[in-house]
Amino acid sequence: MRVLVVDGANVVGSRPDGWWKDRAGAARRLHESLVVADTSYDVVVLVLEGAAKGGVPAGRDGHLVTVHAARDGDSTITAEARSAAARGDTVTVITADRLLQSAVQAVGATTMSPSWLLDQL
């Protein structure tokens, strides 16, 4: 399986479109785009944290799984990448956060930038 793990905060924060005024709404718009996106991934995991969790309930919507971070998003993203890699899945994480990139690469994932993902949507 090919799994794409999306750092929701990092992707939303990569565009200065006023997301900071409505974090839940920005998360909802990203979710809506990912639900209909035609990607080469079997599963897309959207990780949300903080106020953004109010925009989308946790759970599955077709190929898209929304996960609410219990603490910080980075720990949840790393755990999701580790779990998928341990199953033998090919894992790609979308984030521009260099510390997070290092953490997920250490568990077997590759990384791509938020702009790459946004270009796909």
Side-chain angles (χ1 to χ4, degrees):
M1 298 264 301
R2 291 177 38 93
V3 178
L4 184 68
V5 181
V6 179
D7 179 349
N10 198 260
V11 172
V12 166
S14 70
R15 292 189 293 194
D17 62 359
W19 60 265
W20 53 90
K21 297 175 190 172
D22 181 12
R23 293 171 194 262
R28 184 176 51 257
R29 289 187 296 278
L30 177 58
H31 177 271
E32 290 168 354
S33 294
L34 289 169
V35 164
V36 299
D38 184 20
T39 71
S40 62
Y41 293 87
D42 301 301
V43 176
V44 177
V45 179
L46 172 61
V47 177
L48 299 176
E49 60 184 289
K53 295 188 293 188
V56 183
R60 187 174 199 96
D61 190 357
H63 71 285
L64 178 61
V65 178
T66 301
V67 176
H68 287 177
R71 297 174 309 183
D72 64 290
D74 289 5
S75 296
T76 303
I77 292 162
T78 303
E80 291 290 327
R82 180 183 298 112
S83 176
R87 290 190 306 266
D89 296 339
T90 301
V91 184
T92 303
V93 175
I94 302 297
T95 188
D97 180 318
R98 292 200 175 148
L99 289 175
L100 180 56
Q101 288 174 344
S102 293
V104 299
Q105 288 168 352
V107 300
T110 60
T111 60
M112 299 288 285
S113 71
S115 61
W116 176 86
L117 177 64
L118 293 169
D119 287 346
Q120 308 303 306
L121 304 178

